[in-house]
Amino acid sequence: MSEHRRKPPRSHSGGSRAAARRAAQQPTPGRRATPRSGSPAPGPRRGEPPGHGGRAAARRAAQRGGGRRRPARPPRTGLGRYIDYPRAGKAGIWRWIPSWKLVAGVCGIFAGLLLGTVGVALAVVRVPSAQLASKVQKNVYYWADGKQMVVAGGGSLNRQIVPIAQIPKSMQNAVISAENASFYKDWGVDPMGILRAVVKMAEGGETQSGSTITQQFVKNTYLSQEQTLKRKATELLISVKVGATQNKDDILAGYLNTAYYGRGAYGIQAAARAYYDKDCADLTASESAYLAATLNGPNLYDPYGGQGPAATPEKNLKRASDRWKWTLDREVQVGHLKAAERDQWAAKGFPTPQKPKPATNRAGQIGYLTDLADNYIVAHSKISKGELDKGGYQIYTTFDRDKVESLSKSVEAVRKTNIKPEVRGVDQFVQFGGASVEPKSGKIVAIYGGENALTHYTDNADYTGAQVGSTFKPFVLAAAMEHGRRNPALGPQQSDDQRTRVAPESVYNGDNMLTLRTYNGAVWHDRDGSEWHQKNDGGEDRGLISLRTAMQFSVNTPYIQLGMDVGTDLVRDAALNAGLDKEQLASLTPTFSLGTSAPSAIRLAGAYATFADSGRQIDPYSVEKVEKNGKPAFQHEKQSRQAFPANVANNVTDVLKTVVEAGTGTAAQLGSRPVAGKTGTTDGNRSAWFAGYTPQLSTAIGMFRVDPNARNQEFLSMRGVGGKPTIHGASFPAEIWAAYMGQALRGRPVEDFDAPQPIGEKVYGGGASPSPSPAPTAVPSPSASPSASPPATASPTASPSPSRGCSPLDHHCPPGATGNSGGTDDGGPGGTGSGGDQGEPAPAAPTRRAGGGLFGGPAG
């Protein structure tokens, strides 16, 4: 070692080992130290003396990792020269946050692409022609066998393009004021209008389109009204181009000539003819204000009604009148009408349009059939009413031509023989409605909508508002057999395990004016605090009576009490499960069980078909498929469900067979063919029904009186109609039913219903006791043979009728032997203790039916 080497300083006492260790960790000056990474450390620079920097330099070198340096990043090439991402020279998350230059560049590129795309789209997109948009075709309807029924609809009113000079200024101003006040200022689209519509919908308010008149004109040229992004984008592009290239008057004329006003009318000229039977040039400011309202939704603004629960004549008239007033006020607000002129028109009142006039090729039942098919298509497919009215569709229905003709002839035969308005004033305004449905498929094979679709516009097979009376009782029995009577010792809400399922042989008190009680025996009081005493038809006391016999002779008191024992909520559920629509059911007062609801003939026939098919429910339908230009536009998909346990449905059928075999429905017998059915007559004799079925076919027939010209439409009493003191379901409706069904089933094999099995327990209700005096004998179980000589049972509160020859507990007791005519029926609410004809909880006298539901709806 050189003697000139610097000696280490002397260590303090106690620190020699630590100092030695530190010295050992430091590289010796003039020698190469081995870096931790294993690569040779750089030596001293040329010309630099060894050990330059001393211990401080060595310490700094050690802190830098033994002199290790980060390798230099290779220079970016290609696109990386311009896009510094991930960012060089940055560490951690900052490497992944783009610079403002990069963000600005991307935004610029995106904006350029967007502008270029829009420019290309605007260059290639074609502006629609009002002349092309006005072209319409007819729809072709086919019977179930594939033969052509009729060519109808689709431009039933000839469209005529009229220039803006022939469209009155009042119509132009009304539409602009109501639809797009900034029409003459906007560029074809209104961004603020779209934004307002979005905000309104986000706030949960009324849905608004935000579309300008230009956009609506463009939309009217497309057959598809689907709400897709592609269609909306196309609409916006064309609207911008139209707004930039066409005169505003031409755009307005195009819109008014292509818009749909309802009643099959496309264009203002057709609309003026359809609603006011005049040329559009002759429309007044008041009429123009109303026609502008129809553009907001013609189905909801025709005073004579539309489709669905919200489109009744009453609701539509109120809605149309309000919109008409609003449009006049709006015209004043935006400066298109003077206030004094507005006041003059308002003082004259709403300009009521004329009644709809169907096309002449829709005479007879054809108009009802095509309307029913149209309603079904609109309700169950993506085809709108406006698109359907443009035509070009091939519509394959379920209607059987022979059955339609048979049903029509059966109704007209009864009408011609019995209904003579020229002889009896009470025979005026009598109407019939009916429908026939296949239980196993749900196909509507026939309907009777009225005398003639050209003169009677409302389809009586669809929703009419006529209550169905005792034809509703089978749903009460079904609920009692499925869920059971509530336990009086428990609360009102009970599970099925806490209830007692009821057998058809259960005994109830059938006396007239019986005090109604809750399920736990407490006397029921109406909203005025009065006791309710239920009436029977004719005020007859029937004593202790089985539920089977009460159904057989349509006795009210057992079934209103049974509904209380089971719960009207479960009775409602049974009706809905069978296929009735919620919108057609009455409120849940006690008389709900006696038929204060008003399902249509189609819905009632469909619900009875559920019992016919052992509890399997299928919604009735009228259209198999729809095609357009050879391509499918709609295909019916069959859906079914088990609405009731099979044995519940089969027991209901067994009880309803008793009605036809030896009860109020004997007029509906079909020889050896098994038939199940029920009569129904409502309070005040305002409507009468017979609904019945075989395994192959279910049919409901209704009858009622309505004066179509009355200011306040309401159902009228049918007492005296046809020369009869009263009209019951067992009279004309059952007669029509039997005549039609005999023809419809001619040549078809006789089929039996599925045999019922014993169900439930024999319970006692309505004041009946297991040990009455005298005690009733055993009642035969379902499908058992009738007793040859059933013993009589006396009423505990009234002497039996002298003509009553056998016990009402005997379900095969002949009608004449009980003092019952066999045609006596009921179904309406009973009376109070005073014996009144009407009282709580019965509803007020039913008013005129709502317009056009869907299969017994006001469903929509």
Side-chain angles (χ1 to χ4, degrees):
M1 298 293 290
S2 169
E3 61 182 2
H4 298 289
R5 182 176 178 180
R6 185 176 181 180
K7 296 181 180 180
R10 180 178 297 178
S11 300
H12 296 286
S13 178
S16 59
R17 294 183 179 180
R21 187 163 52 250
R22 286 194 298 271
Q25 292 173 349
Q26 296 178 356
T28 305
R31 297 178 59 185
R32 292 190 178 188
T34 303
R36 294 180 184 178
S37 62
S39 59
R45 299 178 181 177
R46 178 178 299 179
E48 180 180 321
H52 177 75
R55 290 192 301 171
R59 187 163 53 250
R60 286 192 297 271
Q63 293 173 350
R64 289 193 300 267
R68 181 180 62 184
R69 294 181 180 177
R70 186 189 299 260
R73 183 167 181 165
R76 294 180 183 265
T77 59
L79 190 62
R81 298 174 59 188
Y82 305 100
I83 303 177
D84 182 20
Y85 194 82
R87 298 171 67 186
K90 302 291 183 179
I93 191 175
W94 295 103
R95 294 192 66 213
W96 305 101
I97 298 177
S99 66
W100 68 269
K101 294 181 180 180
L102 182 61
V103 172
V106 170
C107 291
I109 293 173
F110 178 79
L113 290 174
L114 180 62
L115 290 175
T117 302
V118 172
V120 172
L122 286 173
V124 301
V125 73
R126 292 183 299 174
V127 176
S129 166
Q131 294 288 344
L132 294 176
S134 69
K135 290 184 177 180
V136 295
Q137 305 176 61
K138 298 289 185 180
N139 292 323
V140 183
Y141 297 80
Y142 297 90
W143 295 104
D145 61 3
K147 295 182 179 179
Q148 183 173 305
M149 177 196 304
V150 68
V151 178
S156 57
L157 293 162
N158 293 326
R159 262 204 298 194
Q160 178 183 351
I161 298 298
V162 293
I164 193 69
Q166 294 184 21
I167 301 176
K169 201 66 177 180
S170 64
M171 186 66 198
Q172 300 178 42
N173 290 338
V175 171
I176 292 174
S177 301
E179 300 286 334
N180 184 190
S182 62
F183 169 69
Y184 281 104
K185 300 177 182 178
D186 61 45
W187 293 353
V189 295
D190 181 9
M192 293 305 298
I194 297 175
L195 180 61
R196 284 194 300 270
V198 172
V199 172
K200 192 73 173 179
M201 287 186 289
E203 293 176 347
E206 181 182 356
T207 302
Q208 297 179 348
S209 67
S211 297
T212 63
I213 286 176
T214 305
Q215 288 176 260
Q216 294 180 62
F217 162 57
V218 169
K219 183 173 63 176
N220 289 341
T221 65
Y222 289 89
L223 291 178
S224 174
Q225 298 293 311
E226 58 182 352
Q227 298 297 318
T228 63
L229 291 176
K230 179 181 178 181
R231 191 202 62 76
K232 194 66 178 177
T234 305
E235 173 192 312
L236 291 173
L237 287 171
I238 297 178
S239 299
V240 171
K241 188 169 186 178
V242 169
T245 60
Q246 292 194 10
N247 180 275
K248 286 290 186 177
D249 285 344
D250 293 338
I251 295 173
L252 180 59
Y255 172 57
L256 294 176
N257 280 313
T258 58
Y260 182 60
Y261 297 78
R263 298 191 180 186
Y266 276 91
I268 183 58
Q269 175 64 16
R273 283 293 176 189
Y275 286 93
Y276 294 107
D277 195 23
K278 61 171 63 174
D279 289 331
C280 67
D282 299 327
L283 291 171
T284 67
S286 181
E287 293 166 344
S288 296
Y290 165 67
L291 290 179
T294 64
L295 296 174
N296 201 43
N299 183 62
L300 300 177
Y301 289 89
D302 191 328
Y304 294 95
Q307 177 195 343
T312 66
E314 294 79 11
K315 293 180 180 178
N316 276 17
L317 178 58
K318 174 68 163 58
R319 190 182 294 113
S321 179
D322 290 344
R323 181 75 177 183
W324 163 75
K325 291 178 181 177
W326 177 87
T327 301
L328 291 176
D329 291 340
R330 178 66 174 166
E331 289 186 71
V332 174
Q333 181 182 352
V334 299
H336 287 157
L337 185 69
K338 294 181 179 180
E341 186 178 357
R342 182 269 317 271
D343 294 340
Q344 290 177 359
W345 290 119
K348 293 181 179 180
F350 177 71
T352 303
Q354 65 184 2
K355 291 182 178 181
K357 293 182 178 180
T360 55
N361 62 349
R362 288 156 47 90
Q365 299 301 306
I366 297 298
Y368 304 124
L369 296 172
T370 56
D371 281 348
L372 196 64
D374 289 351
N375 289 346
Y376 189 83
I377 292 169
V378 172
H380 295 85
S381 75
K382 295 181 179 179
I383 304 172
S384 70
K385 186 64 169 68
E387 291 172 328
L388 198 60
D389 282 346
K390 284 185 177 179
Y393 292 95
Q394 294 78 50
I395 300 166
Y396 296 84
T397 74
T398 62
F399 305 130
D400 185 305
R401 181 172 187 170
D402 292 337
K403 291 182 174 62
V404 170
E405 291 181 354
S406 294
L407 181 54
S408 180
K409 289 179 180 178
S410 298
V411 174
E412 294 308 319
V414 168
R415 182 191 298 276
K416 183 177 180 180
T417 303
N418 301 281
I419 311 302
K420 302 181 182 300
E422 68 281 359
V423 176
R424 291 176 295 268
V426 73
D427 283 6
Q428 292 182 334
F429 318 129
V430 173
Q431 298 184 30
F432 295 91
S436 194
V437 176
E438 286 185 354
K440 297 186 184 302
S441 68
K443 294 179 181 178
I444 303 172
V445 295
I447 64 168
Y448 181 84
E451 292 185 70
N452 191 328
L454 298 183
T455 57
H456 176 75
Y457 308 124
T458 303
D459 183 0
N460 291 342
D462 209 334
Y463 180 73
T464 63
Q467 296 178 358
V468 294
S470 287
T471 56
F472 202 80
K473 288 176 181 174
F475 307 121
V476 185
L477 183 61
M481 291 192 295
E482 181 177 6
H483 300 288
R485 187 178 71 164
R486 286 178 284 189
N487 187 334
L490 303 177
Q493 300 302 321
Q494 300 178 22
S495 66
D496 288 357
D497 293 338
Q498 296 172 310
R499 296 165 172 258
T500 302
R501 287 176 174 81
V502 176
E505 282 67 43
S506 297
V507 178
Y508 270 71
N509 193 331
D511 281 341
N512 184 52
M513 302 302 290
L514 197 67
T515 301
L516 185 64
R517 298 180 181 273
T518 64
Y519 78 96
N520 59 9
V523 175
W524 190 87
H525 294 84
D526 61 22
R527 61 189 177 191
D528 296 327
S530 302
E531 293 184 5
W532 177 257
H533 300 276
Q534 180 59 44
K535 288 176 55 181
N536 285 331
D537 184 74
E540 187 177 20
D541 289 322
R542 298 306 299 254
L544 300 185
I545 190 171
S546 71
L547 293 176
R548 179 187 295 274
T549 308
M551 186 77 76
Q552 178 182 358
F553 298 115
S554 206
V555 184
N556 281 340
T557 49
Y559 275 92
I560 192 173
Q561 187 60 58
L562 181 63
M564 296 292 284
D565 293 347
V566 174
T568 52
D569 57 335
L570 292 183
V571 174
R572 174 197 59 199
D573 292 346
L576 295 175
N577 288 337
L580 300 189
D581 191 277
K582 185 177 181 180
E583 297 295 329
Q584 54 187 292
L585 298 183
S587 58
L588 296 184
T589 60
T591 52
F592 179 79
S593 298
L594 298 183
T596 54
S597 297
S600 73
I602 294 174
R603 286 289 184 180
L604 188 59
Y608 270 47
T610 300
F611 295 130
D613 199 24
S614 295
R616 193 171 65 101
Q617 192 272 331
I618 304 175
D619 282 338
Y621 72 100
S622 60
V623 177
E624 291 283 5
K625 64 179 180 179
V626 179
E627 295 179 351
K628 185 165 188 176
N629 299 324
K631 298 180 180 179
F634 167 76
Q635 178 70 52
H636 171 77
E637 296 182 4
K638 181 179 178 180
Q639 295 181 341
S640 65
R641 61 187 179 88
Q642 195 67 32
F644 301 106
N647 198 39
V648 169
N650 294 340
N651 270 273
V652 170
T653 294
D654 191 67
V655 172
L656 295 184
K657 285 174 61 181
T658 306
V659 176
V660 179
E661 290 171 359
T664 60
T666 54
Q669 292 178 356
L670 298 176
S672 61
R673 192 181 295 274
V675 174
K678 184 70 187 75
T679 53
T681 307
T682 58
D683 179 74
N685 210 208
R686 292 184 176 91
S687 60
W689 291 81
F690 184 83
Y693 52 92
T694 68
Q696 302 106 313
L697 203 58
S698 176
T699 302
I701 303 294
M703 177 181 177
F704 51 88
R705 285 184 69 218
V706 172
D707 180 359
N709 300 315
R711 185 176 184 85
N712 296 319
Q713 296 286 289
E714 62 179 358
F715 291 92
L716 307 173
S717 174
M718 292 191 294
R719 292 189 175 99
V721 167
K724 295 181 177 292
T726 56
I727 298 296
H728 298 88
S731 56
F732 298 142
E735 182 180 344
I736 293 170
W737 187 95
Y740 160 72
M741 290 289 282
Q743 290 292 325
L745 296 172
R746 177 172 293 179
R748 301 281 295 274
V750 175
E751 295 185 16
D752 291 325
F753 295 108
D754 291 345
Q757 301 300 316
I759 191 171
E761 300 179 21
K762 183 177 180 179
V763 303
Y764 295 81
S769 169
S771 301
S773 179
T777 58
V779 180
S781 61
S783 70
S785 299
S787 172
S789 56
T793 298
S795 168
T797 58
S799 300
S801 171
S803 62
R804 182 181 298 166
C806 64
S807 170
L809 288 174
D810 178 8
H811 69 281
H812 284 280
C813 181
T818 64
N820 195 319
S821 67
T824 304
D825 196 18
D826 66 293
T832 63
S834 63
D837 196 43
Q838 186 88 316
E840 176 67 18
T847 56
R848 173 65 163 129
R849 62 195 177 280
L854 179 63
F855 300 170

